[in-house]
Amino acid sequence: MEQPLRVVGIGGSTRFGSTAERAVRAVLTEAERLGARTTLLAGDDLLLPMYDPRGPVRGPRAERLVAEVAAADGLVVASPAYHGGISGLVKNALDHVEELRGDARPYFTGRAVGCLAVGAGWPGAVATVAALRDVVCALRGWPVPLGVAVNTAEAGFGPDGRCTDARLQSQLETVAAQVVEFAAMRRAGAGAAAGELIAAGGA
């Protein structure tokens, strides 16, 4: 029996239940509805040592993040907009993906990645989405077509964690659908390619 697709969410801030974390949760909830198995790395999960390429990954949190990314079929990354860019917390987590440079699928290779950013206004949030997309490309991932900028001056999440804006909720659901769809196509394509190689070897 084929295993469910695995989608990993990374992001938020050190504050539990931050808007960025809730945005990732909304995407993962929709991904689960579409049949994926999901994991969220947020808050304390991202309190990692500063990445140092000269040494091994240190600590269980860093090891878990690297292992979860390695096993993922798709990813969702969210950052608060700090001074017009990615927060240090999220950027440091992404820097740890360097540990997958020698993996069979290095970095984010072959994975669809949804990019989300949160700011108290459009300029910072939009700039941070663009920065996340650039980082994903540098890590050899595939940013899905829709990146979502959340302007907390206009929309957000209620005390129960539910999105208070129908348009924003629809965008987050679209990101989930795009990540799951790409991951499913990628798995099907990889399986077909493997089958062709086996057939060619037996010819």
Side-chain angles (χ1 to χ4, degrees), residues 169-188:
Q169 179 64 30
S170 176
Q171 290 177 335
L172 297 172
E173 290 175 358
T174 297
V175 170
Q178 290 178 348
V179 170
V180 171
E181 180 182 14
F182 181 97
M185 291 191 297
R186 172 73 173 147
R187 177 182 285 185

Side-chain angles (χ1 to χ4, degrees), residues 115-140:
C115 297
L116 319 174
V118 174
W122 290 115
V126 170
T128 303
V129 168
L132 281 173
R133 293 173 71 88
D134 285 345
V135 171
V136 168
C137 288
L139 289 170
R140 307 183 194 176

Side-chain angles (χ1 to χ4, degrees), residues 64-84:
R64 181 189 177 205
L65 181 140
V66 172
E68 290 287 357
V69 171
D73 297 294
L75 298 152
V76 182
V77 181
S79 175
Y82 283 4
H83 309 122

Side-chain angles (χ1 to χ4, degrees), residues 27-122:
V27 175
L28 295 183
T29 296
E30 178 64 10
E32 288 180 355
R33 191 188 71 79
L34 295 171
R37 187 172 69 183
T38 68
T39 300
L40 174 64
L41 300 174
D44 287 350
D45 298 323
L46 302 181
L47 291 176
L48 311 177
M50 288 297 294
Y51 181 67
D52 184 350
R54 298 170 299 178
V57 171
R58 294 181 177 87
R61 289 173 180 162
E63 290 173 355
R64 181 189 177 205
L65 181 140
V66 172
E68 290 287 357
V69 171
D73 297 294
L75 298 152
V76 182
V77 181
S79 175
Y82 283 4
H83 309 122
I86 303 169
S87 73
L89 186 76
V90 172
K91 183 59 168 64
N92 185 50
L94 296 176
D95 287 345
H96 277 74
V97 178
E98 177 65 21
E99 291 303 302
L100 294 177
R101 60 188 174 276
D103 196 70
R105 290 193 299 164
Y107 309 111
F108 286 172
T109 296
R111 299 168 179 89
V113 185
C115 297
L116 319 174
V118 174
W122 290 115

